[in-house]
Amino acid sequence: MPANTLMHAWILAVVLFGLGVAGLLARRNLVFMLMSIEIMLNAAGLAFIAAGARWGQADGQIMFILILTLAAAEVSVGLALILRLFSGTESVDADAARALHD
Amino acid sequence: MRSPRSTSGRCCRETAAVIGMFYLSAAVALIATALTITRSNAAHAVLYLIVSLLAVALVFYALGAPFAAALEVIIYAGAIMVLFVFVVMILNLGAGAAPQERNWLRPAVWVGPTLLAAVLAGELLYLLASGRFDVSAQGSGAAAAQLAGAAAPTTLTATAAAPPAIEPKQVGLLLFGPYLLAVELASMLLMAGLVAAYHLARELLKAPQPAASHPRWTREPPTRATAASSRHTTAESH
């Protein structure tokens, strides 16, 4: 695969990460914010895979596997927190957690 | 990139096909991700996000990482998104569930993810039709197949991919060799996630929620300090 295509893979990773950041900043729904974080983690994994393909080494896939475990742990804890917040406030809006401060 | 030893027209055609697959999958991933973060309904967003993850898996395959592609489909699009689907279902329970279910049957809901997924399915069928069990291309192809030994079933994975695919065997050797400490740390992270999720969800399972007219957090649990409750009510009265 030519190096041009690998550069495009990195550009794809950057654009996906940017979409994740935009979603994280624009949405107030906690489920959408968690999904945006997933998009960003996935883009980071894509960057690692592209780098591994560029140098022909398997290290990029190792880092992708570690990112995968990180995403799994983060999603399990995050969704449990969202369920707790929903059972308390009947809302999944991020601003509903203001009650923690009062 | 390392080039395959045989530079016949067949190899270059396959390379062009893989590159075309890369760009098609990238386009699908971008469209699906953009639609994910702009949906108003969480269930629709989950559908588009699943399509996006499947497209990224095909990008991984085109980049010569079949093991990462399989993990992406199994863990990301399979396990993690199932968690999202369950939570969206739990949050949607209530009186508004029936019209929501009726809305699911409208074509406008499912035709977008179906079209994008059909593009990915076409790519997958092309891969299966073009490169399945093509051992001769393997023998002249990646040097990793030599490393994998004589009777390696891993040669099935990298058939149509003209770039040298990084086999799962290489990943495994590296993972349980120099990266063993990282694997242990990842296992501890998963254990912490398991314990935390169980602890956070335990009180939800233990106490069935009574029919409450007001949110539950305004009623303090009896074991906690009553000072917090009084403080909360005074804060509300202001």
Side-chain angles (χ1 to χ4, degrees), chain A residues 33-96:
Chain A
M33 293 171 78
L34 208 54
M35 272 195 260
S36 301
I37 292 175
E38 288 304 302
I39 292 170
M40 289 156 65
L41 282 173
N42 195 35
L46 174 61
F48 272 112
I49 293 285
R54 168 66 181 81
W55 300 106
Q57 298 294 320
D59 299 71
Q61 297 191 40
I62 305 286
M63 292 310 294
F64 173 72
I65 291 171
L66 295 180
I67 288 175
L68 210 59
T69 56
L70 176 69
E74 174 250 334
V75 151
S76 62
V77 175
L79 287 177
L81 280 172
I82 288 177
L83 284 182
R84 279 306 294 270
L85 188 67
F86 180 72
S87 74
T89 64
E90 303 294 330
S91 160
V92 286
D93 197 275
D95 296 330

Side-chain angles (χ1 to χ4, degrees), chain A residues 1 8 27 38 53 59, chain B residues 1 23 37 39 72 76 179:
Chain A
M1 183 162 294
H8 291 166
R27 307 306 291 263
E38 288 304 302
D59 299 71
Chain B
M1 295 298 297
Y23 285 113
I37 65 172
R39 290 307 93 184
E72 175 95 5
Y76 245 125
Y179 286 96

Side-chain angles (χ1 to χ4, degrees), chain A residues 1-19:
Chain A
M1 183 162 294
N4 202 8
T5 306
L6 289 167
M7 185 55 75
H8 291 166
W10 277 312
I11 291 173
L12 172 67
V14 168
V15 173
L16 283 181
F17 194 89
L19 283 173

